[in-house]
Amino acid sequence: MEEAIYSSPVGLLNISGSDAGIRSILYGDFVKENDMVPDCLVECIQQLDEYFNGRRKVFNLLLDAEGTDFQLRIWKLLQDIPFGKTLSYLELARISGDIKAVRAVGHANGQNKLNIVVPCHRVIGSNQKLVGYGGGLWRKEWLLKHEASFDMPGLFQQEC
């Protein structure tokens, strides 16, 4: 597994992956030792740059997520939430096929290790409040405001 540290507007991200795909994008206090990026992570960093610069609304990366079948299914549904839009945990449970699975959906959402690319930040409480983000609610708020500022039809071409 290769790693790179990416400096983003919401802090340092540790990106890990291989030729099989991106395994994780995690927030944290990392030491950025050098600027060398392994070949298998270059595209991820380029797409993150485009996202943060408002030129990318959809990520097109090979992902190598590890999780249960249920988690993988929920993470796939997260990728279907449009840029600049939000969905409640209840709505996500309903879409998953089991409205009673709200807590399980929330737990799966919290286990997502592909922050930003698998947009768990787009899931909010039924009362429209920002709840439950492993990177901190300030990051969730920043990401949602960032997307809202670029969610103007026709202004940017969707790159994938």
Side-chain angles (χ1 to χ4, degrees), residues 19-159:
D19 289 335
I22 304 300
R23 174 71 51 90
S24 65
I25 302 171
L26 301 173
Y27 298 110
D29 296 323
F30 308 104
V31 176
K32 189 169 183 177
E33 295 179 2
N34 63 46
D35 290 326
M36 295 295 296
V37 176
D39 290 344
C40 62
L41 304 179
V42 168
E43 182 66 22
C44 181
I45 287 176
Q46 179 181 338
Q47 288 191 29
L48 284 168
D49 279 342
E50 292 167 356
Y51 169 83
F52 285 114
N53 288 315
R55 294 188 324 256
R56 177 170 292 277
K57 293 182 177 186
V58 176
F59 289 93
N60 183 22
L61 296 167
L62 180 61
L63 302 178
D64 186 25
E66 288 187 316
T68 66
D69 289 343
F70 180 78
Q71 289 171 331
L72 293 171
R73 188 163 49 93
I74 296 303
W75 299 337
K76 173 64 182 121
L77 291 174
L78 292 174
Q79 294 174 74
D80 294 336
I81 303 172
F83 179 92
K85 306 299 179 202
T86 59
L87 201 65
S88 73
Y89 290 96
L90 180 62
E91 291 168 315
L92 190 56
R94 184 178 298 126
I95 292 167
S96 78
D98 187 356
I99 197 164
K100 296 179 183 178
V102 176
R103 288 180 190 238
V105 164
H107 182 71
N109 203 44
Q111 297 300 307
N112 171 31
K113 293 182 180 170
L114 288 159
N115 288 293
I116 303 167
V117 171
V118 176
C120 54
H121 63 275
R122 295 180 188 153
V123 183
I124 60 174
S126 294
N127 59 2
Q128 303 300 302
K129 300 241 185 227
L130 301 185
V131 294
Y133 193 62
L137 290 180
W138 74 269
R139 283 187 175 105
K140 185 173 196 163
E141 181 179 13
W142 191 98
L143 292 167
L144 291 174
K145 283 182 178 178
H146 169 72
E147 291 182 8
S149 72
F150 289 106
D151 191 27
M152 296 176 239
L155 184 60
F156 296 99
Q157 279 194 345
Q158 187 168 292
E159 301 175 17

